[in-house]
Amino acid sequence: VRLQQSGPDLVKPSQTVSVTCTASGSESHVPFKYWTWIRRSSGQDLEWMASIDYSGRDFVNPIMKSRAAVYRDRSGYQLTLKLNSAMPEDSAVYYCIRGAYLGNAYHLAVGQGTQVNVSS
């Protein structure tokens, strides 16, 4: 499975960060178990943002629950993270990770990363 990310590289404070992850490839039709967004700010550890499971339930980091949301499109091949009221502290590289069972093994596909800068 190949994950292609897209999104703006510059967002003004108070606007919304919106990054999208699109799955493709010969095994992308295999239903995922969890689809997740994480981010890494400069000099910081990885931070879990939000996930969605195969049934459509979403899980959001409580620290940013009021600002973050994940949306899966109807085809099931695209996942979008929206983070509103952006702050400079939200500047980071955002990654999507899609997990699915292929046979007996749990495979993780990772997007290429999207550098988002929040600045006026």
Side-chain angles (χ1 to χ4, degrees), residues 13-120:
S14 80
Q15 291 185 340
T16 297
V17 174
S18 180
V19 284
T20 296
C21 180
T22 303
S24 64
S26 60
E27 295 171 332
S28 59
H29 67 282
V30 177
F32 66 89
K33 183 72 171 174
Y34 292 100
W35 207 341
T36 294
W37 283 99
I38 62 172
R39 70 182 183 184
R40 172 172 273 171
S41 302
S42 179
Q44 302 295 316
D45 291 336
L46 290 170
E47 182 177 26
W48 170 66
M49 301 289 294
S51 300
I52 191 167
D53 73 6
Y54 61 93
S55 71
R57 286 186 305 170
D58 62 308
F59 308 87
V60 180
N61 188 328
I63 295 175
M64 56 197 75
K65 193 173 181 66
S66 62
R67 298 196 297 129
V70 286
Y71 302 94
R72 183 182 59 175
D73 79 327
R74 298 178 76 174
S75 73
Y77 288 90
Q78 200 169 77
L79 189 72
T80 297
L81 170 72
K82 290 188 183 292
L83 182 65
N84 59 35
S85 303
M87 302 178 289
E89 302 90 281
D90 294 319
S91 298
V93 181
Y94 288 74
Y95 297 92
C96 61
I97 304 172
R98 185 181 186 273
Y101 281 102
L102 300 175
N104 294 325
Y106 190 66
H107 286 241
L108 295 176
V110 185
Q112 82 277 18
T114 301
Q115 173 71 58
V116 177
N117 297 301
V118 181
S119 174
S120 56

